[in-house]
Structures are given as C-alpha cells and as structure tokens.
Amino acid sequence: MKDITVGDIVKFVPYYASSGMQGGSLKLQMPKYESLAIVYKTYVIRGVGHAHVMLPSRKKKVIGFAGLEMVCRL
C-alpha cells in the first residue's frame, strides 16, 4: 500500500483497473484531473486505501490510492 498520509500534496496518475467478466482483464484508467491536490483524510476499506482530497478549486473528492502519487509532504 502507498504511504499517503494527511497533509500530503499529491498528483493524479494513470492506473490499471480490473474489468470484464470476473475481472479477467485490465484496463488503463486515465486521471480525471490535471492538477495537484492536498489530502485531508485517509482510510482503508477491505485492503484498498482511499483518500479525501481537496482540489485547487476547493472541490472535495474521494480517490483510491492507485490513482495518486505523492509529490511532497507538509
């Protein structure tokens, strides 16, 4: 699992997600946002990490750790 904590500055990166019948194939998911974001909450559900992030426009989104990469830590 990635080492993403509260206060990190993150960027959005492409990642592979399972698709097809019973997750038999992988599909490349491109990032939805082209900006940086700050993490204000993290948690794990069934082994999958999630982060609540705030975008520069002050919108709040929940993103899985697979689609995030840490840029720096505050």
Side-chain angles (χ1 to χ4, degrees):
M1 180 151 358
K2 294 185 179 181
D3 183 30
I4 296 175
T5 59
V6 174
D8 289 352
I9 304 295
V10 294
K11 68 178 182 177
F12 300 95
V13 295
Y15 63 97
Y16 286 98
S18 60
S19 63
M21 189 169 288
Q22 297 181 350
S25 61
L26 295 175
K27 183 178 178 186
L28 183 63
Q29 298 290 319
M30 298 308 289
K32 293 181 181 178
Y33 308 102
E34 298 281 335
S35 61
L36 298 177
I38 187 166
V39 176
Y40 66 92
K41 182 180 179 183
T42 62
Y43 56 92
V44 177
I45 297 177
R46 285 188 243 150
V48 179
H50 295 80
H52 288 244
V53 298
M54 185 179 291
L55 301 170
S57 62
R58 295 187 179 173
K59 289 185 180 178
K60 297 177 181 177
K61 299 291 179 181
V62 179
I63 308 290
F65 280 3
L68 299 175
E69 181 178 298
M70 185 177 66
V71 175
C72 68
R73 181 162 285 159
L74 296 179

